[in-house]
Amino acid sequence: MRASQPRIGLALGSGSARGWSHIGVIRSLEAAGIAPDIVCGTSIGALVGAAYADGQLEKFETWVRSLTWQAVVGLLDFTINGGLIHGEKLFSFLRSHLDDKTIASLPKAYGAVATELASGREIWLREGSVIDAVRASAALPGLFTPARREGRLLVDGALVNPVPVSLCRAMGADIVIAVDLNSDLIGRHLKPDDAPEPSGAAAPGALASVLSRLPLGFGAARGGAPEAAGMPSIFDVLSMSLNIMQVRITRSRLAGEPADVMIRPRLADFALMDYHRASIAIDEGERAARRALPELREAIGRP
């Protein structure tokens, strides 16, 4: 009976801290009796997808929900060689708390997307260490240092394929459910650097707060001359420019490689480094998936 049913693929998109909403999406799919056979991810989607494909999502969610701003900053190892964050501290932590299996040994079929820095080619990661694949897929240029793999330098897959529908299809998915975290980002309201978090947390959530901790004079750049009053900070400009890039690339790829069902969490108020706001993102992921359930059931032929 199972062989006659369509194979369902889940394409989890990029989006930095907004990516915790993937957990909520998966929870809603499970509650509706929808269990993807194939899981593909780009960047933060590769990380959440790996935990899900390995059957460790519950353990992973518990850790994610426990994150505070101080804990997030504590996982970052600053550098100026290839990026602002080396990444080894974070991924060593992940290796110690998640079983670093090979991709071939995972219970669900899994793939991640990265970008070859030298050529700009899209790289599909379907073998070797799971954590190494996630490390490469999530290496946001300028923020995380590139990952080395088989003599190549790899960076964030979001540069070429933010929502990896094409990889799901290539791995045999008949129906693809895609999660786009970037649909409502352009034109989002700029929050002042010192604005309080909607959740009531006192800690700042902007990229500027991370960079201001570097011993490179970045903190002084947050002020600016009086004539610059009202001008967004360099960090807001960087973050919004990344948002524009993500939205444009996502729209272009999905136009040529559409998913059967799109799920679009609404998280435009999330800053790049708001990883400590996991509960808000997860709840919105659940709501977004529930909104899509009628379309999902029609696509897979279930009442």
Side-chain angles (χ1 to χ4, degrees):
M1 290 294 293
R2 181 62 183 147
S4 65
Q5 296 176 359
R7 298 190 76 201
I8 299 174
L10 180 62
L12 302 177
S14 62
S16 300
R18 297 184 300 277
W20 295 152
S21 64
H22 289 317
I23 297 171
V25 169
I26 293 168
R27 291 301 186 207
S28 285
L29 294 180
E30 289 181 334
I34 300 170
D37 305 285
I38 299 164
V39 183
C40 297
T42 296
S43 197
I44 188 69
L47 174 57
V48 178
Y52 178 49
D54 193 23
Q56 298 194 62
L57 190 65
E58 183 174 353
K59 177 181 177 182
F60 184 72
E61 180 180 352
T62 299
W63 172 68
V64 164
R65 287 185 181 272
S66 74
L67 286 174
T68 63
W69 174 249
Q70 291 76 15
V72 171
V73 173
L75 288 170
L76 305 180
D77 44 0
F78 297 119
T79 180
I80 57 172
N81 185 20
L84 292 175
I85 299 168
H86 195 271
E88 290 309 309
K89 190 173 182 180
L90 170 61
F91 286 94
S92 292
F93 176 88
L94 291 175
R95 288 181 206 278
S96 67
H97 286 73
L98 296 175
D99 297 333
D100 186 16
K101 300 178 180 177
T102 63
I103 292 175
S105 70
L106 295 178
K108 290 181 180 290
Y110 171 80
V113 177
T115 305
E116 185 177 28
L117 186 60
S119 67
R121 290 195 306 127
E122 179 176 341
I123 304 296
W124 290 351
L125 305 173
R126 297 182 54 188
E127 59 184 21
S129 161
V130 173
I131 298 298
D132 285 350
V134 172
R135 170 69 176 87
S137 183
L140 182 64
L143 188 60
F144 281 95
T145 58
R148 292 188 181 275
R149 187 180 176 97
E150 298 176 355
R152 300 178 295 189
L153 289 177
L154 302 183
V155 294
D156 201 318
L159 293 178
V160 291
N161 195 354
V163 186
V165 173
S166 55
L167 179 53
C168 274
R169 301 271 190 215
M171 291 176 63
D174 302 303
I175 294 171
V176 176
I177 303 166
V179 185
D180 176 12
L181 304 177
N182 305 313
S183 63
D184 62 344
L185 292 185
I186 292 181
R188 74 172 181 86
H189 177 66
L190 280 170
K191 294 188 297 182
D193 285 337
D194 57 353
E197 295 298 326
S199 61
L207 176 61
S209 179
V210 174
L211 301 186
S212 67
R213 296 168 184 259
L214 290 169
L216 303 172
F218 281 116
R222 295 179 63 189
E227 61 268 21
M231 182 68 67
S233 72
I234 185 174
F235 309 112
D236 280 325
V237 172
L238 173 62
S239 180
M240 293 196 72
S241 298
L242 289 172
N243 289 344
I244 292 169
M245 177 189 73
Q246 289 282 284
V247 171
R248 296 302 184 189
I249 297 172
T250 300
R251 289 177 181 174
S252 177
R253 289 300 300 252
L254 290 177
E257 301 159 348
D260 296 282
V261 179
M262 289 297 309
I263 298 175
R264 293 186 169 97
R266 299 165 183 167
L267 294 164
D269 66 326
F270 261 59
L272 190 69
M273 297 294 293
D274 279 359
Y275 291 102
H276 59 294
R277 301 175 63 196
S279 293
I280 297 172
I282 292 170
D283 289 348
E284 172 54 23
E286 291 179 346
R287 286 191 293 270
R290 286 197 297 267
R291 290 193 294 267
L293 279 179
E295 186 181 0
L296 276 166
R297 291 192 175 104
E298 181 177 356
I300 62 180
R302 296 181 188 175

